[in-house]
Amino acid sequence: MNNFNHYYDSETTRQVISVIVINEHNVLSRIVGLFSARGYNIDSLTVAPMSGTEYSRMTIVTTGDKRVIDQIVKQLNKLIPVLRVNEHKNVIEKETVLIKIPIEQPLSDIEVIARAYNGHIQNVTEDAIVISATDEPHRIANFTNIMNKFKPLEVVRSGVVAMER
Amino acid sequence: MRITGAKMVTESLKEEGVEVVFGYPGGAIMNVYDEIYKQSFFQHILTRHEQAAIHAAEGYAKSTGEVGVAIVTSGPGFTNAVTGLADAYMDSIPLVVISGQVPTTIIGTDGFQEIDAVGISRPCTKHNYLVNKIEDLPRIIKEAFHIAATGRPGPVHVDIPKDITAELANFEYPKEVNIPTYKPTVKYNKRQLKKAMDAISKAKKPLLYVGGGAILANCAYEIRELAEKLNIPVVETLMARGVMGHDHELLMGMLGMHGEFAANMAAHDTDLLISLGARFDDRVTGRLDEFAKKAKVIHVDIDPASISKLVDTNFPIVGDLKVTVQGMIDSASEMEFNDYSNWVSLLRDYREKEPLRYNDSDSVIKPQWPIERVGQLLGENAIISTDVGQHQMWTAQFYPFSYPRQWNTSGGLGTMGFGLPGAMGVARGNKDKVSINFTGDGSILMNIQELMTCVEYNLPVINIILNNNYLGMVRQWQTLFYENRISETDLSVQPDFKMLVESFGGIGYRVTTKEEFDTALNDAVEKKKPAMIEVIVARDEIVLPMVPNGHALNEMTLLGDSNE
Ligand SMILES: Cc1ncc(C[n+]2csc(CCOP(=O)(O)OP(=O)(O)O)c2C)c(N)n1
């Protein structure tokens, strides 16, 4: 009758969650602490103040089975400084990457590839160039993979921001 | 008028109507203690350990329904308090715990007695605050009391740096709380309640599964009314003892690992499990995929996160339990229900055929006996606390609890050392009742120093040690599951408990016969002084029934199965 057996279901899905929190002391560690104490995953986390309010928005990408995602949302909602939690269903996701490549690599190849990923050269010095790209997270992952063959000195990914369509 | 932060603390406690505070001073909190000295609104009880201050506040809160308050200093004072905070958090006990912190100028420098208190308390409090500005102090204390007592209750920690308690500012205690992000749902959703009621009306074997939330929400009497109105049997969790009253016809007993046969069979056979303020703890459910396997589930809870955390719920209802159960009673008046009397009598049969029992003996006191005996002699006149172990389970099984808040135990965390300080808080809050603490020879030594507090403040706690010379509960598992390898649970080397309590200025008794026990108990009750009755009990008794870890509730070991 009851379907408690679902407890053992373990099909993992990826979920983008945004959390609106009051800007106050400790709130980031509260959120992160909740994930670590309960053994939930954080794949990516971005935070920024929401302009004109006393709130910040956190965008968290996490993975887990249905029950885990459900608990994450409920447990987040339970935290006192949390105003709202959105489990995004239909979102535009964007991520930015900055990649520094030694100047001796073939610049024109790099430029062409970057443009294919909505990217371009940001800065050039005597030793290195920095390119950036902003795109969907899986495309950013591809882009970074490809760039690996140009022996990057440094790669910085921003984490995901998301907005409901 | 401009006053210091320290005075703001005492003024705020006064505004909250606090009548007693448990605590322990130290450098970082001294400004507050100076104000405590000057005021006369509340009593301060000096415990002898910070852990005990929190447990005492818990015992006070649990037995009176008020918010318990404790004050400790920074660093080691605070870290000592952490076990208490965790205990209160697990059992959803409303507390406000104030700690001193090193001055703001020193925070972050590894100063003397500095510790990241809010970092440590975060996972074991409902909420916590580090006060950064004196102007925030009154609001924070107001919020702390509000958060502790509303929604799913719990401990709230306020950490105040020393310079802030010395600073001056205008004081105005807020009349209202406004936290835009904190609005617990009180009123249930009507449509969900209707669906749940329809399910009850169609069920054949509905069962009320009642947890500690019923006590916290003060709705024991509504639950009795609902059960009686629909003629539905009830099982209680450990934390819900006292909700139905021990002699209620519809009560099928406590369920879970050491629950009664009838209660566990009821959960196994029910076709509609109606969970009221319970949270499907693993000590209750046994093997989860076998728990209430034939049932649909109605789950009422104030905490949305409790719903569907462990089991899928067919009918979730988020709301205050008292309001919701009242709503269920009201809506039941306009409905027709199946007749559940066959189901009730089946369970009553189980209860008669397989009651809770033990093999009593005349040559040695069985540990269950003093518990039953106190029940016969004091019954409703005692509020019962326990420590953790076999004696705790036997007390839950054999004491005749008749009303909510008569039972004070550490359920969620299972903290040895809870009993004596917990019972101390009970004694302070309930002067018309006898405060009994059933404890073990292991547990009592974990906060024994509190005998001093009991003596100083004349808190007449009667500690009854069921002395089996073992860490009994662990020994039981070693016997059953580790081929009797008694690793580090033999407590043959012991203090002279009678002398020990007497050296603190209390009364001590050591009893080996039933007659001696009666005499000692009567004497202790009459003298109204802190006391300790050491009862030498059968060494090898085990707690039965028992559902072995990882088994289903219907796979119980009963008394008849054991070869004792
Ligand atoms: C602080 C703490 N440490 C360890 C335990 C593990 N534990 C649970 S029951 C128990 C034995 C308790 O012995 P005693 O107080 O003598 O009671 P009995 O079981 O003999 O009745 C222990 C060690 C615990 N619950 N709490």
Side-chain angles (χ1 to χ4, degrees):
Chain A
M1 257 292 210
N2 82 43
N3 22 21
F4 295 178
N5 289 328
H6 285 186
Y7 182 59
Y8 299 101
D9 275 6
S10 56
E11 202 191 306
T12 2
T13 52
R14 175 177 178 280
Q15 179 69 48
V16 182
I17 295 170
S18 60
V19 190
I20 315 293
V21 297
I22 293 193
N23 293 332
E24 65 176 29
H25 181 76
N26 246 322
V27 66
L28 179 61
S29 55
R30 245 181 251 288
I31 305 273
V32 174
L34 186 151
F35 277 78
S36 65
R38 293 183 182 267
Y40 307 143
N41 273 320
I42 296 182
D43 293 344
S44 126
L45 169 71
T46 57
V47 196
M50 294 165 70
S51 53
T53 71
E54 49 176 343
Y55 296 103
S56 286
R57 176 195 301 274
M58 298 188 183
T59 308
I60 301 174
V61 182
T62 180
T63 43
D65 60 28
K66 245 184 84 209
R67 187 181 301 281
V68 166
I69 305 284
D70 186 52
Q71 268 298 306
I72 290 175
V73 172
K74 284 176 171 167
Q75 295 290 349
L76 284 170
N77 263 312
K78 223 171 120 170
L79 297 178
I80 310 289
V82 169
L83 180 69
R84 205 169 52 239
V85 183
N86 288 328
E87 250 175 296
H88 292 299
K89 289 279 169 279
N90 185 11
V91 280
I92 299 174
E93 291 178 45
K94 290 290 171 197
E95 182 169 6
T96 293
V97 68
L98 295 171
I99 304 179
K100 189 186 286 175
I101 293 169
I103 202 86
E104 51 278 5
Q105 295 292 331
L107 286 191
S108 53
D109 290 7
I110 292 170
E111 161 102 63
V112 171
I113 298 170
R115 259 194 268 123
Y117 286 94
N118 296 322
H120 46 257
I121 294 173
Q122 289 290 353
N123 193 28
V124 184
T125 64
E126 280 176 24
D127 310 321
I129 64 162
V130 175
I131 49 172
S132 82
T134 299
D135 210 324
E136 286 165 38
H138 71 271
R139 286 180 45 89
I140 291 298
N142 286 345
F143 178 53
T144 345
N145 272 343
I146 294 166
M147 283 297 134
N148 271 340
K149 73 173 189 214
F150 300 105
K151 311 210 165 35
L153 301 165
E154 223 181 316
V155 178
V156 178
R157 287 176 70 164
S158 67
V160 175
V161 293
M163 189 178 273
E164 203 81 28
R165 280 177 213 274
Chain B
M1 209 189 42
R2 283 162 69 80
I3 60 173
T4 63
K7 190 157 166 73
M8 287 185 182
V9 172
T10 56
E11 288 293 311
S12 303
L13 296 183
K14 176 185 158 199
E15 293 280 341
E16 290 293 335
V18 170
E19 60 139 16
V20 61
V21 167
F22 302 88
Y24 207 101
I29 195 76
M30 278 181 72
N31 294 330
V32 172
Y33 270 84
D34 196 43
E35 288 301 329
I36 289 175
Y37 182 86
K38 294 178 200 157
Q39 61 79 44
S40 57
F41 303 110
F42 56 82
Q43 183 188 19
H44 179 278
I45 291 185
L46 174 71
T47 58
R48 277 9 181 217
H49 190 292
E50 289 86 354
Q51 182 189 349
I54 313 293
H55 291 325
E58 285 184 88
Y60 179 85
K62 271 201 239 189
S63 61
T64 63
E66 304 288 323
V67 175
V69 182
I71 301 183
V72 302
T73 192
S74 68
F78 177 75
T79 52
N80 270 352
V82 170
T83 301
L85 281 173
D87 190 84
Y89 182 61
M90 292 290 278
D91 285 342
S92 306
I93 308 302
L95 297 186
V96 171
V97 175
I98 294 172
S99 58
Q101 180 56 280
V102 300
T104 46
T105 47
I106 295 184
I107 289 182
T109 67
D110 301 328
F112 177 65
Q113 296 195 332
E114 182 190 355
I115 197 82
D116 174 12
V118 288
I120 292 179
S121 75
R122 194 177 306 120
C124 53
T125 49
K126 181 172 173 186
H127 193 52
N128 63 11
Y129 296 90
L130 172 63
V131 181
N132 290 312
K133 293 199 303 277
I134 186 170
E135 289 75 22
D136 293 340
L137 189 50
R139 172 185 60 82
I140 286 177
I141 294 182
K142 177 86 188 170
E143 287 182 5
F145 275 87
H146 176 72
I147 291 170
T150 53
R152 179 176 181 170
V156 180
H157 168 213
V158 182
D159 196 32
I160 315 176
K162 186 168 184 180
D163 51 335
I164 288 184
T165 58
E167 241 179 274
L168 288 166
N170 281 324
F171 176 74
E172 197 184 334
Y173 200 63
K175 292 265 166 311
E176 266 159 32
V177 171
N178 180 20
I179 314 170
T181 54
Y182 177 70
K183 309 259 184 251
T185 311
V186 172
K187 178 81 184 180
Y188 53 87
N189 175 305
K190 272 196 176 150
R191 231 177 336 127
Q192 279 172 330
L193 184 109
K194 181 79 183 63
K195 278 198 213 154
M197 292 306 289
D198 283 340
I200 298 177
S201 75
K202 293 193 196 99
K204 298 208 167 58
K205 299 174 170 183
L207 180 69
L208 294 175
Y209 154 48
V210 179
I215 307 240
L216 296 167
N218 293 317
C219 75
Y221 297 102
E222 284 81 359
I223 290 176
R224 289 184 196 182
E225 189 182 338
L226 179 71
E228 285 162 12
K229 188 166 183 134
L230 307 183
N231 194 33
I232 299 181
V234 182
V235 294
E236 292 174 350
T237 67
L238 175 78
M239 296 310 281
R241 294 313 257 163
V243 166
M244 287 301 278
H246 67 100
D247 52 2
H248 199 290
E249 289 206 338
L250 289 168
L251 177 66
M252 300 306 159
M254 177 172 82
L255 85 168
M257 180 175 276
H258 294 298
E260 280 183 53
F261 179 75
N264 282 351
M265 288 309 290
H268 188 72
D269 284 343
T270 177
D271 65 349
L272 182 68
L273 188 73
I274 306 159
S275 167
L276 304 177
R279 61 189 177 94
F280 297 83
D281 187 279
D282 50 283
R283 282 287 188 272
V284 164
T285 61
R287 204 176 130 177
L288 196 61
D289 57 346
E290 290 286 326
F291 180 65
K293 208 176 167 179
K294 306 166 189 167
K296 293 201 164 164
V297 177
I298 297 174
H299 191 165
V300 185
D301 209 299
I302 185 90
D303 176 10
S306 278
I307 291 177
S308 294
K309 178 162 71 182
L310 293 164
V311 303
D312 287 338
T313 302
N314 305 81
F315 306 99
I317 304 177
V318 177
D320 174 78
L321 200 56
K322 194 181 181 83
V323 175
T324 310
V325 174
Q326 192 59 57
M328 293 170 91
I329 294 169
D330 294 344
S331 107
S333 304
E334 298 150 16
M335 297 173 63
E336 300 246 322
F337 289 84
N338 279 338
D339 175 6
Y340 313 121
S341 41
N342 285 343
W343 167 232
V344 171
S345 57
L346 171 80
L347 295 177
R348 293 204 60 80
D349 263 11
Y350 282 159
R351 248 199 145 190
E352 259 154 51
K353 290 202 185 103
E354 199 53 65
L356 267 180
R357 60 197 151 88
Y358 60 97
N359 295 324
D360 203 2
S361 156
D362 286 329
S363 52
V364 53
I365 299 182
K366 287 295 187 91
Q368 299 91 338
W369 182 83
I371 296 164
E372 271 190 331
R373 190 65 185 148
V374 175
Q376 288 160 3
L377 295 178
L378 299 179
E380 307 184 358
N381 293 325
I383 297 183
I384 306 297
S385 306
T386 69
D387 265 301
V388 173
Q390 293 181 309
H391 62 274
Q392 177 189 31
M393 292 302 125
W394 284 317
T395 308
Q397 291 176 332
F398 288 98
Y399 197 89
F401 294 101
S402 22
Y403 52 91
R405 300 192 184 278
Q406 194 188 2
W407 168 230
N408 177 39
T409 198
S410 166
L413 197 65
T415 309
M416 288 172 74
F418 172 83
L420 168 50
M424 211 159 75
V426 169
R428 177 59 184 76
N430 305 269
K431 294 184 174 156
D432 55 332
K433 293 269 162 52
V434 184
S435 176
I436 299 278
N437 172 35
F438 284 106
T439 179
D441 43 321
S443 294
I444 190 65
L445 288 174
M446 283 217 177
N447 268 317
I448 192 76
Q449 75 287 343
E450 295 313 313
L451 283 172
M452 203 66 264
T453 313
C454 291
V455 169
E456 177 177 355
Y457 295 90
N458 195 24
L459 298 169
V461 174
I462 302 177
N463 296 283
I464 302 178
I465 305 181
L466 302 178
N467 190 349
N468 54 8
N469 288 89
Y470 277 128
L471 294 173
M473 187 56 102
V474 183
R475 196 273 304 161
Q476 170 163 348
W477 283 53
Q478 289 171 339
T479 303
L480 298 175
F481 310 119
Y482 291 86
E483 297 172 335
N484 219 19
R485 288 186 293 278
I486 307 301
S487 174
E488 304 299 325
T489 51
D490 187 309
L491 296 184
S492 296
V493 179
Q494 292 196 325
D496 181 325
F497 284 109
K498 185 169 176 322
M499 272 170 71
L500 180 65
V501 63
E502 283 169 357
S503 76
F504 280 102
I507 318 173
Y509 311 83
R510 182 174 192 274
V511 309
T512 55
T513 66
K514 292 179 174 175
E515 294 70 36
E516 286 170 354
F517 181 78
D518 281 6
T519 313
L521 183 67
N522 286 330
D523 193 55
V525 171
E526 204 167 284
K527 292 212 168 102
K528 291 204 166 136
K529 284 213 171 149
M532 192 141 86
I533 305 176
E534 178 196 7
V535 190
I536 309 303
V537 296
R539 257 200 116 182
D540 295 322
E541 195 76 3
I542 62 175
V543 183
L544 289 172
M546 178 171 194
V547 179
N549 222 8
H551 285 249
L553 287 191
N554 63 331
E555 300 171 337
M556 309 180 67
T557 309
L558 299 164
L559 184 62
D561 307 342
S562 84
N563 39 19
E564 291 228 0

